[in-house]
Amino acid sequence: MDYVKAFIVGGLICVIGQILIDTTKLTAGRILVVFVSLGVIVGAFGWYDKLIEFGGAGATIPLPSFGNSLAKATLKEVKEIGLLGAFTGGIKGAAAGITAAIFFGYLMALIFNPKTKK
């Protein structure tokens, strides 16, 4: 049943993205920002944790989860060190994910022959 829940949650997030692609003139980069921003907002209210409890990997893998991680890390840092945490929390919370994305992106560029889209 966990697989079904993950598929439903992840699938709904993908469906929302596809609807945005098909019905708006938003670029992929802007849709990415929308998803991350929504993850921050929903995570700041604590609602994304409930979605993770229900959907598991279907909620933790997509982009809104990155925004949720930013929100959680920022709130934690603000509680610990005050206002300065609003500036440092997100960076600390997302450092591992950003580092992995840069490393694996570079590795794939070395292995494969990247080309620009025409």
Side-chain angles (χ1 to χ4, degrees):
M1 194 61 179
D2 290 339
Y3 294 121
V4 174
K5 290 178 184 179
F7 180 78
I8 290 170
V9 171
L12 285 173
I13 293 170
C14 291
V15 165
I16 292 168
Q18 191 64 50
I19 289 170
L20 289 172
I21 290 169
D22 291 343
T23 61
T24 67
K25 293 186 181 194
L26 292 173
T27 62
R30 289 186 177 167
I31 293 171
L32 178 141
V33 170
V34 166
F35 274 132
V36 173
S37 299
L38 285 174
V40 168
I41 294 166
V42 174
F45 286 111
W47 300 333
Y48 206 83
D49 291 334
K50 293 176 184 164
L51 187 62
I52 291 172
E53 284 178 28
F54 176 78
T60 58
I61 302 299
L63 281 172
S65 181
F66 180 70
N68 179 49
S69 297
L70 290 173
K72 286 172 83 172
T74 301
L75 291 173
K76 178 183 173 199
E77 198 77 3
V78 167
K79 287 178 185 173
E80 290 178 5
I81 65 171
L83 185 59
L84 184 61
F87 301 103
T88 61
I91 294 168
K92 288 181 182 179
I98 292 170
T99 303
I102 292 170
F103 174 76
F104 288 114
Y106 181 72
L107 185 65
M108 291 302 113
L110 291 175
I111 294 171
F112 300 101
N113 185 18
K115 296 180 178 107
T116 59
K117 249 182 161 176
K118 293 182 183 183

